[in-house]
Amino acid sequence: MRKITIKILILTCLLIGMMSCEDFLELKNPNDITADVFFETPEQVQQAVNTLYSSFTAVTGDTEGSVFVQNVRGDDAELVDGAFESQVVFDFYNNTPQTGITDGLFSGFYTVIFRANTVLANMDKADWSGNEALKESLAAEAYFFRGVGYFYLAHMFGQVPVVTDIEGFDNAKAGSIGEVYDQAVADLEIAKAGLPATQQDAGRATKGAATGFLGKTYLYRAGYLGEDSYYAIAATEFKEVMDMGIYGLVTNYEDNFTAVNENNQESLYELQYLYNPSLETPTQGRPFNSVPGIAGEIYLTPSAWLMETMGQERTINGEYDPRYLQTVYFYGGLPLFGVPYENLGDGLSCQNGQGVGSGDGSNTTGGWWRKYLNVNLSCPVGLTGRDPDNNERIMRYADILLMYAESVVMANGNMAEAEAAVKQIRDRANLPVKTYANPNDLMEEIRHQRVMEFAYESMRYFDLLRWGMLKQALMEHGFEAQAANYNEVQDKYFPIPVEEINNNPSLEQNDPWK
């Protein structure tokens, strides 16, 4: 009974999301709304597809319980004193199936999948005469989100149910990890074939986004499952993105994280948040981010290892790597809203349209996250309860380049093609020319550039897992308790939520968590 209730609740939320569009309440009695009577027009189908974007944002964006919180489980972030007990339990690998800390990820991605299944099961009820291209594109968007949902479930939870219809959620058995990856690939292949290269509405899924995620699915499968043959297939997908001719690195690295240059040429897919230029200042609403005074509960800061690593990289002119300067707010780095780090003190405030620090020059240790603060503006907005304004970049062209370089090195040791891709990354950062003695040497550089490029973008933890290097990283520069508690077999995947096990007699807990 509980499973059915949950499913009905998800469908209700789906329909409520639809009702917010185009005065739908004037057309139907909300008490009579069901999937059978809603999908009558292409416009209604599009409203249903639109709800996929919000549900995907909820589970991948910058909210507690989303993919974002995995940052501290790697080595590029660390907890501060006073973090909540639940955060300490999770980040120090003391979680159990009963703590339920990752349950929201499981239910969140299945919400995306259920909504996609609902769209695909009902869209033929509409009259598509003269709108066949729109139908194909909308169906492809649904396949895109379902495929990406299974991609995340595969590498986060391992053996999970593969459900491709509405009723299949009842008593669903878990598939093998390979079957979960297979479903992600099948859906993303359809999405790739059906999506246009560009969309009129910024933020909609495109062929490039589907191709990028398809390549990433193959790459993760190769790493997580040790199936090396998939590296070459991944490289082919990434090369297709590179050859499309519509993506490239933006000149200014900072443009990937502010609200004024969103959906730029480097972005394959990003979560769409609202930026209101009339406010003149951004909302600093990214949870657990930022600096005192303009953030809420801060429990996550750049790790000492990350700052040391990023600080060692210097440009041709002997200056700090611009990615370090944009990622971390630290002594000797760039001011934040006009305030040098040594004047931060207990926090920033906004006075007369300018950022003001409360310090006297005595606080010059450590650092705070700078990435995703809208630093091109003069002053932050304090805590207002509004959603964050800066779009969250989920897949960037820089990621495509480095994943391509990794794939070709791992597939066949082709150093020339990999070096060319890495060189684009290094050139954007104005780094000196570098040569590599062998594929292992080049692979080390690829790993290093992923640290420089993607710190605090929810990638490092999963990179370390698929490389089989997380235990080593925790032992060398993580917290002592993390290294002691981490179990390479058990912690490779999150546990299946206990509630799902209790309510589904056909579903079992993954073996390491039993």
Side-chain angles (χ1 to χ4, degrees), residues 109-407:
F109 285 116
Y110 273 111
T111 296
V112 174
I113 290 167
F114 181 82
R115 290 186 175 189
N117 288 351
T118 301
V119 170
L120 294 170
N122 289 281
M123 65 186 307
D124 281 339
K125 296 173 183 176
D127 181 4
W128 295 96
S129 301
N131 285 307
E132 290 81 5
L134 177 61
K135 178 184 179 182
E136 181 183 18
S137 181
L138 292 176
E141 288 180 60
Y143 280 113
F144 170 80
F145 283 108
R146 192 171 76 181
V148 173
Y150 279 120
F151 158 73
Y152 279 105
L153 287 169
H155 71 268
M156 287 185 173
F157 292 92
Q159 294 178 272
V160 298
V162 175
V163 183
T164 58
D165 56 46
I166 300 174
E167 300 302 324
F169 286 88
D170 293 331
N171 299 317
K173 296 181 179 180
S176 68
I177 302 176
E179 288 173 333
V180 183
Y181 276 112
D182 286 342
Q183 187 60 53
V185 166
D187 288 339
L188 289 168
E189 288 278 14
I190 296 173
K192 173 184 171 181
L195 286 170
T198 59
Q199 293 271 25
Q200 183 175 358
D201 294 332
R204 285 197 175 276
T206 61
K207 182 184 293 291
T211 309
F213 269 108
L214 182 58
K216 193 167 188 175
T217 300
Y218 285 127
L219 178 65
Y220 272 53
R221 180 168 189 163
Y224 271 84
L225 302 187
E227 297 177 347
D228 291 352
S229 62
Y230 286 102
Y231 283 118
I233 303 174
T236 299
E237 299 298 332
F238 298 136
K239 189 63 164 61
E240 284 191 33
V241 175
M242 294 161 65
D243 290 342
M244 290 181 70
I246 59 177
Y247 299 107
L249 300 177
V250 293
T251 302
N252 186 0
Y253 179 75
E254 179 184 289
D255 285 346
N256 289 305
F257 309 104
T258 65
V260 295
N261 195 17
E262 297 169 331
N263 303 299
N264 57 50
Q265 66 180 9
E266 189 165 337
S267 180
L268 275 75
Y269 186 78
E270 60 189 72
L271 307 180
Q272 304 294 306
Y273 294 119
L274 298 176
Y275 172 62
N276 185 348
S278 67
L279 293 175
E280 297 182 354
T281 52
T283 298
Q284 306 303 343
R286 188 177 172 88
F288 323 122
N289 177 42
S290 191
V291 301
I294 61 173
E297 300 278 358
I298 300 177
Y299 82 97
L300 195 61
T301 59
S303 69
W305 171 82
L306 177 73
M307 295 185 64
E308 180 182 1
T309 298
M310 297 192 80
Q312 291 174 353
E313 190 76 85
R314 297 303 175 104
T315 68
I316 293 173
N317 302 321
E319 300 170 341
Y320 282 124
D321 188 309
R323 295 169 295 181
Y324 181 32
L325 295 172
Q326 176 57 31
T327 300
V328 181
Y329 178 43
F330 64 100
Y331 180 67
L334 298 176
L336 183 59
F337 302 112
V339 179
Y341 185 81
E342 58 268 29
N343 297 134
L344 172 63
D346 295 328
L348 282 172
S349 62
C350 189
Q351 299 179 19
N352 300 318
Q354 297 295 320
V356 176
S358 62
D360 57 5
S362 59
N363 185 2
T364 58
T365 60
W368 300 93
W369 292 114
R370 176 187 177 90
K371 185 177 281 188
Y372 277 110
L373 298 183
N374 211 11
V375 295
N376 59 295
L377 299 178
S378 60
C379 187
V381 169
L383 298 175
T384 63
R386 293 195 298 271
D387 289 334
D389 291 316
N390 300 5
N391 283 358
E392 188 93 3
R393 279 65 163 183
I394 298 298
M395 181 171 286
R396 298 194 278 115
Y397 187 66
D399 196 12
I400 296 296
L401 289 173
L402 288 175
M403 289 192 295
Y404 173 72
E406 177 181 345
S407 297

Side-chain angles (χ1 to χ4, degrees), residues 6 13-14 30 43 54 62 121 132 210 223 228 252 261 268 272 283 285 309 351 359 410 413 426 475 482 512:
I6 291 174
C13 292
L14 172 65
E43 291 75 18
S54 59
D62 58 1
E132 290 81 5
D228 291 352
N252 186 0
N261 195 17
L268 275 75
Q272 304 294 306
T283 298
T309 298
Q351 299 179 19
M410 297 299 293
R426 290 181 59 87
M475 291 178 64
Q482 285 182 305

